[in-house]
Amino acid sequence: MGQQEQVATSLAGTVGEEIGASLTAVDAELARRYPGDPGTRQPVHTVYVPGDTFTSGTIRSWGDQALKALDEHAPDAASFAAVLGIPDELAAPVHDRVRAKLEREPVEDLRIDFEDGYGSRTNAEEDETAARSARLVAEAYANGTAAPYMGIRMKGMEAAVRDRGIRTTDIFLTGLMRAGGLPDGLVLTLPKVTYPEQVTAFVRLLEAFEQTHGLPAGRIGFEIQIETSQSILAADGTAAVARMIDAARGRATGLHYGTFDYSACVGVSAAYQASDHPAADHAKAVMQVAAAGTGVRVCDGSTNVLPVGPTHRVHEAWRLHHGLTRRALTRAYYQGWDMHPGHLPTRYAAVYTFYREGLEQAAARLAAYAARTGGDVMDEPATAKALGGYLLRGIDCGALDAAEVARLTRLTRADLDAFAAPGSR
């Protein structure tokens, strides 16, 4: 044993106490504004279906149409991989998992649309559609045919459609309550938000509903759809989207990028309106920074190029969608929109390839970090947190099996949750 070091300090203990006291309000504010990721499953996509076309068979129909497209345009693993450029060693695993997903759970998040996809109808017609949607959603959760997440996109808080949006929200939520209560997977999407005050108004609406039905305060959350330039940069030069998150008072669950409304708003011509346009990248980067640490997740937009027609046209659309999805994943946008059943094969192919190709390296790095054995990469706690989140997302969407991750990492699901949690080791 070496000589024991003499430890000496110069400051009185009261100095630390005074500093701590001076930062009490800051500590509370940090905890309130930046609680970290909620640790719940994030769907890999959101499917939008117009309210008038949604039926009890919509989800199964989307899966069946996607499987039919695979059978017709890429009937085996090799042909599917060749179209999308999937590495040979991943061709069979990805293809098999995509087919299994389409058979088991083709849609992870479904939004019944009462906005652009539904259009303007008579009040009586929209009333009836909203009530029917609530009944069908409640029945789906009761009989086990629901997607993990389901809800509506109502019309927004703009003056011309505000009353209609409020009424549709009320009818839908009331219908769910009458059918037994709000499902755990309920999601609402507020579109075309321009000012934080519109978010505040929607919060007031939800507060009133909760009070009317004796629900816990904050029970109903919602997504904010970013479709205007003013929601990114306000007139005073501030990032309005950050103020919108604050205005939601803890209810905001996501920021969804609206590819085509936003592109048109900033003057992008129709031929170049896409989720990889520089204007889109700028908007999503601002959204990402504003949401970081808040527990609000960022969702990418969609492509309007549909995989329909002859095989060569389907393959072109598949390659485009697959490439956009891969691009989004590398930029940490883990969710996007899908507008057609034919997009499902390439959504899951891109997601599954992304997680399977990085599985062994991520597992090895996290295992080495957990065992403090080191390796060829010197990882820090923040990176271990990212590795844990990567593996958890892969498990949740079906790209990875919990058993294979446990075998490679020697970690349980609880261990992975602990690494991915805010303030993890």
Side-chain angles (χ1 to χ4, degrees):
M1 296 291 292
Q3 180 179 355
Q4 186 172 1
E5 295 291 340
Q6 296 296 314
V7 177
T9 61
S10 301
L11 300 177
T14 55
V15 173
E17 295 172 1
E18 291 170 358
I19 290 173
S22 72
L23 292 175
T24 299
V26 171
D27 294 340
E29 186 73 349
L30 283 170
R32 182 184 73 83
R33 288 182 181 273
Y34 303 105
D37 189 86
T40 55
R41 174 182 178 181
Q42 181 180 9
V44 302
H45 68 174
T46 300
V47 164
Y48 280 77
V49 178
D52 58 319
T53 66
F54 174 67
T55 71
S56 60
T58 292
I59 292 175
R60 185 61 264 154
S61 174
W62 272 58
D64 291 342
Q65 290 179 67
L67 286 166
K68 182 179 178 181
L70 269 179
D71 290 338
E72 182 176 352
H73 302 293
D76 54 48
S79 59
F80 192 48
V83 172
L84 303 179
I86 297 172
D88 291 344
E89 65 273 15
L90 292 179
V94 168
H95 179 265
D96 292 348
R97 285 174 184 271
V98 168
R99 291 197 65 93
K101 180 73 168 181
L102 295 175
E103 292 167 355
R104 181 187 75 256
E105 187 185 73
V107 174
E108 292 197 355
D109 182 28
L110 185 141
R111 207 70 70 251
I112 305 166
D113 192 16
F114 287 88
E115 206 232 352
D116 286 347
Y118 184 72
S120 297
R121 311 294 179 97
T122 65
N123 283 329
E125 184 177 0
E126 185 159 341
D127 282 355
E128 193 280 333
T129 303
R132 179 174 59 85
S133 297
R135 175 177 58 81
L136 291 175
V137 168
E139 290 175 356
Y141 277 106
N143 63 29
T145 61
Y149 300 94
M150 296 183 74
I152 64 169
R153 177 172 71 171
M154 71 295 295
K155 292 177 175 66
M157 291 289 107
E158 301 162 289
V161 296
R162 183 183 305 139
D163 290 343
R164 184 63 257 180
I166 291 172
R167 183 170 174 82
T168 296
T169 303
D170 187 7
I171 292 171
F172 180 72
L173 293 177
T174 300
L176 290 177
M177 291 299 298
R178 294 181 65 185
L182 305 182
D184 290 339
L186 173 67
V187 186
L188 304 178
T189 304
L190 180 66
K192 293 184 174 61
V193 181
T194 304
Y195 281 78
E197 288 81 2
Q198 293 169 323
V199 174
T200 299
F202 196 64
V203 168
R204 289 174 181 165
L205 171 64
L206 299 181
E207 287 175 341
F209 189 89
E210 290 167 349
Q211 292 167 5
T212 298
H213 290 274
L215 295 171
R219 165 64 181 85
I220 308 172
F222 62 97
E223 301 164 335
I224 301 169
Q225 196 154 15
I226 304 301
E227 302 176 87
T228 66
S229 61
Q230 296 91 341
S231 59
I232 295 298
L233 189 68
D236 62 0
T238 61
V241 65
R243 290 160 51 204
M244 289 174 185
I245 293 173
D246 192 49
R249 297 174 60 184
R251 293 177 185 266
T253 59
L255 299 175
H256 281 228
Y257 176 68
T259 304
F260 303 101
D261 282 277
Y262 187 89
S263 297
C265 182
V266 297
V268 179
S269 59
Y272 299 99
Q273 292 178 355
S275 62
D276 60 350
H277 190 279
D281 284 340
H282 171 259
K284 287 181 288 188
V286 174
M287 292 162 59
Q288 189 175 54
V289 173
T294 65
V296 178
R297 290 157 167 172
V298 176
C299 176
D300 198 7
S302 62
T303 175
N304 59 0
V305 179
L306 304 183
V308 296
T311 294
H312 75 277
R313 298 295 289 272
V314 171
H315 286 180
E316 290 174 359
W318 272 356
R319 281 190 286 267
L320 173 65
H321 183 248
H322 182 267
L324 291 173
T325 303
R326 279 291 313 221
R327 184 179 189 272
L329 289 167
T330 62
R331 286 160 172 75
Y333 307 130
Y334 299 113
Q335 184 178 356
W337 296 6
D338 286 328
M339 309 302 290
H340 187 274
H343 286 142
L344 299 185
T346 39
R347 169 68 61 182
Y348 291 122
V351 170
Y352 288 3
T353 302
F354 177 75
Y355 289 112
R356 293 211 64 81
E357 68 186 6
L359 167 61
E360 292 191 3
Q361 183 185 59
R365 288 175 65 179
L366 189 57
Y369 180 88
R372 301 293 193 269
T373 58
D376 59 354
V377 179
M378 185 179 294
D379 285 322
E380 297 186 358
T383 304
K385 178 179 178 179
L387 291 167
Y390 173 88
L391 295 172
L392 286 170
R393 285 191 294 271
I395 292 171
D396 286 342
C397 72
L400 310 176
D401 296 326
E404 67 178 334
V405 173
R407 175 177 55 82
L408 291 169
T409 62
R410 299 181 295 281
L411 298 170
T412 66
R413 172 73 191 229
D415 293 329
L416 295 177
D417 287 334
F419 275 112
S424 58
R425 46 196 151 167

